[in-house]
Each structure stands twice: as C-alpha cells, then as structure tokens.
C-alpha cells in the first residue's frame, strides 16, 4: 500500500496482516481525493474508523493542516503511529483510540472539522455515528461528510442532511453529504 498523491506520493505504508481491517483501495482513495481537490488544503480532517490510517495520511500528503484518526483496535492504532512517525508528520496527526460513536461524547478536542470521512466495516453503518457527531457540534453546515460503504448498502439520512453525490467503485460506494 502506498500514498498516491501530494508531498508524500509514492511512500509506502504499513498495514495490518489478516482481515482485521479493510484498507481503502488505492483506486478509491485516488477517486476520493480527485473529487475533494483543493478542499483538502489547510483543512481539519477526521478519519473515523481509520484502520491503517491510509485515508488520513493521504489527506496530510495533499495539504490537510491537521488530521484526527479514530480507531478502536489497539494494533491498528500502533500501525497508524508507526506510519505517521516514519513519514515525519506527527505534528499534523492526532490518534485517538476509541469506539464510535461513544468516543464523540467524550471527545476533548473541539476543532471544527472541514471534512469527515467515515469508513465503518461494510454493513455496520449506523446513523448513531452521524447523530453523535451532530449532537456534539462536529458537523457544521459547511462540513463535508463522506461515508464509504458497500455499493449495495442503503443509507437512510434524516431530512437534516442532503446527499451531494454518490459514486460507486467496484464493491465500494462513496456518499458525500452536508447538513442543511
């Protein structure tokens, strides 16, 4: 696995062995960041269900000012830390170990997120995650939220949110939405 674009382009990332995480493929990451374009530059980015941290690290490579990585698995957090240290981007990264959505209710960092990327295990998306982010004030009207899920997963958002775009890539779907 490698970084696709930006200042760290071509650098390799460590990943976990086995099926504990499902890293976002290079094709999907490239498509995601092509869609985001310059919105990433100087953004505060949240990579929730971070796994190996590939999406958040790609955001740093493409100019994000700060990236928060949230992951519940201890080994995955270790891999994210190693990747961040190897790449020398520790000052731009905050790694938080915790379970989503509960972690959002005890979140001590109160940065305003510009972009929130959610990549729960396929079939496990729960609207409680969105509700927790909204209730705790993390989703503003200008926050772009992106959900990565299975291409056939039905996403039922409340009327409070508007889907801007949906893109399918093989078995993966990216859903872009904002709060009204």
């Amino acid at each position: 696995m490698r970084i696709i674009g930006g200042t760290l382009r071509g650098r390799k990332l460590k990943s976990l062995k086995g099926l504990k995480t499902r890293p976002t493929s290079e094709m999907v990451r490239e498509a995601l960041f092509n869609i985001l374009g310059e919105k990433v530059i100087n953004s505060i980015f949240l990579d929730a269900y971070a796994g190996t941290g590939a999406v958040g690290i790609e955001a740093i490579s493409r100019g994000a000012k700060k990236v928060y990585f949230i992951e519940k698995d201890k080994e995955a957090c270790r891999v994210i830390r190693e990747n961040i240290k190897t790449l020398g981007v520790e000052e731009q990264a905050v790694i938080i170990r915790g379970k989503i959505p509960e972690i959002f209710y005890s979140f001590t960092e109160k940065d305003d997120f510009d972009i929130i990327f959610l990549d729960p295990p396929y079939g496990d998306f729960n609207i409680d995650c969105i509700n927790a982010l909204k209730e705790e004030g993390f989703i503003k009207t200008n926050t772009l939220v992106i959900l990565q899920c299975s291409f056939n997963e039905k996403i039922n958002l409340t009327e409070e949110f508007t889907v801007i775009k949906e893109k399918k890539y093989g078995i993966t779907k990216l859903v872009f939405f904002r709060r009204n």
Side-chain angles (χ1 to χ4, degrees):
M1 191 166 45
R2 64 185 175 84
I3 300 169
I4 296 156
T7 59
L8 302 171
R9 183 178 186 195
R11 301 280 300 269
K12 291 189 177 180
L13 297 172
K14 290 182 181 179
S15 63
L16 289 168
K17 290 181 174 30
L19 301 173
K20 233 179 191 179
T21 60
R22 175 195 35 79
T24 300
S25 73
E26 289 181 11
M27 177 187 73
V28 174
R29 277 188 286 130
E30 184 169 19
L32 168 66
F33 284 96
N34 284 342
I35 291 168
L36 292 175
E38 293 186 2
K39 290 180 188 82
V40 177
I41 298 170
N42 291 317
S43 68
I44 306 295
F45 193 102
L46 172 63
D47 183 359
Y49 306 93
T52 62
V55 171
I57 293 169
E58 190 79 42
I60 290 171
S61 181
R62 292 173 185 249
K65 181 173 25 176
K66 191 178 214 179
V67 175
Y68 289 84
F69 298 85
I70 298 179
E71 175 55 52
K72 72 177 180 179
D73 185 79
K74 181 180 177 180
E75 285 302 302
C77 286
R78 180 190 56 75
V79 168
I80 294 168
R81 262 189 212 87
E82 286 179 22
N83 283 328
I84 298 238
K85 185 173 183 180
T86 299
L87 297 168
V89 294
E90 299 97 330
E91 289 189 17
Q92 293 163 269
V94 178
I95 302 165
I96 300 168
R97 184 168 171 233
K99 189 171 185 213
I100 295 171
E102 294 85 358
I103 192 68
F104 297 125
Y105 294 109
S106 61
F107 212 66
T108 56
E109 304 285 342
K110 288 292 183 182
D111 269 325
D112 286 341
F113 296 118
D114 299 299
I115 302 169
I116 296 174
F117 181 76
L118 306 168
D119 184 12
Y122 283 3
D124 277 0
F125 174 70
N126 187 321
I127 198 69
D128 291 345
C129 173
I130 302 295
N131 289 336
L133 285 162
K134 182 184 70 172
E135 288 167 20
E136 293 302 306
F138 295 115
I139 300 178
K140 310 283 190 224
T141 54
N142 61 338
T143 304
L144 179 61
V145 183
I146 303 127
L147 171 66
Q148 178 176 321
C149 58
S150 171
F151 75 97
N152 59 1
E153 207 165 333
K154 300 284 185 240
I155 307 303
N156 297 314
L157 297 171
T158 64
E159 292 176 4
E160 235 180 314
F161 296 96
T162 300
V163 173
I164 301 164
K165 182 183 296 202
E166 277 190 27
K167 291 286 196 174
K168 293 180 183 174
Y169 306 93
I171 64 165
T172 299
K173 175 169 63 174
L174 296 176
V175 182
F176 296 76
F177 58 96
R178 287 193 191 277
R179 190 170 179 185
N180 296 329

